[in-house]
Amino acid sequence: MAAQPLREWKTGLFDCFEDTSTCCYGFWCCPCLACTVSGRFGENSCLPLCDLFSPAVFGLCGIPLFAPPAATSLRSSIRSRHGIKGSICKDIAVSCFCVYCSWCQMHREIKDNNKDRVVIINNQPAPVVMMAQPTMMMAQPPMMMAQPPMMMAQPPMVVSQHGVTVTSY
């Protein structure tokens, strides 16, 4: 099977005004946009919060951290899943120097790819459960009615779509 050729991003890094709602979302609340992108991509929605807290934590330990880990890894994953050209070096550079534009571009890419996706829902009917009517058993001998008649329920029967009857005791 031949591999599909890699393609470019559907929108450029600075094409924010192609989708003004995403542009405004990223400008006014970039952490919220980042969490939305992460969730729509199938990752934990709180993953981008690592980008906010990890530089401070690493800085306290004396380790300088410049590349936002969540933005970089998510950008690389989106490129890989959707067959987009690029490299990890470019992902790091974009995530370091244009993080707002990077999140907006990833959001546009995911929105555009979700438009093309077809979801097939297979609704098969549930199996039919039939309960047998309880039968009355008379105590022996029939002339003595000292005890009330006992109700004995028969086990439930399940009839599947294919006409197979299943009984459990």
Side-chain angles (χ1 to χ4, degrees):
M1 186 168 135
Q4 292 183 355
L6 296 178
R7 63 174 178 82
E8 296 293 330
W9 289 86
K10 290 184 179 178
T11 60
L13 185 62
F14 302 111
D15 289 344
C16 284
F17 292 107
E18 285 191 21
D19 182 4
T20 53
S21 62
T22 297
C23 180
C24 290
Y25 192 18
F27 179 76
W28 295 109
C29 193
C30 191
C32 297
L33 174 67
C35 291
T36 300
V37 169
S38 182
R40 286 187 181 173
F41 188 65
E43 293 294 333
N44 188 323
S45 295
C46 296
L47 178 68
L49 298 179
C50 293
D51 287 352
L52 296 175
F53 299 119
S54 58
V57 172
F58 280 105
L60 288 174
C61 297
I63 303 169
L65 180 68
F66 300 107
T72 305
S73 61
L74 202 59
R75 185 174 179 82
S76 178
S77 296
I78 289 172
R79 271 192 323 95
S80 177
R81 184 180 293 176
H82 298 295
I84 300 171
K85 292 179 188 176
S87 67
I88 191 70
C89 291
K90 288 181 183 178
D91 294 335
I92 291 170
V94 167
S95 297
C96 285
F97 300 111
C98 303
V99 71
Y100 288 94
C101 295
S102 172
W103 282 115
C104 289
Q105 184 184 35
M106 289 187 281
H107 187 259
R108 290 190 304 269
E109 189 72 30
I110 289 173
K111 270 177 60 174
D112 197 46
N113 281 326
N114 285 346
K115 287 179 187 175
D116 300 335
R117 188 168 48 171
V118 175
V119 177
I120 298 173
I121 300 173
N122 189 359
N123 288 333
Q124 293 185 0
V128 178
V129 177
M130 298 174 59
M131 298 291 289
Q133 295 293 330
T135 58
M136 302 227 354
M137 296 202 54
M138 301 292 285
Q140 294 289 332
M143 289 184 225
M144 295 176 58
M145 294 298 276
Q147 296 177 349
M150 295 177 25
M151 301 290 284
M152 299 278 300
Q154 293 188 2
M157 295 186 304
V158 177
V159 179
S160 72
Q161 292 176 342
H162 305 291
V164 177
T165 303
V166 179
T167 304
S168 62
Y169 294 94

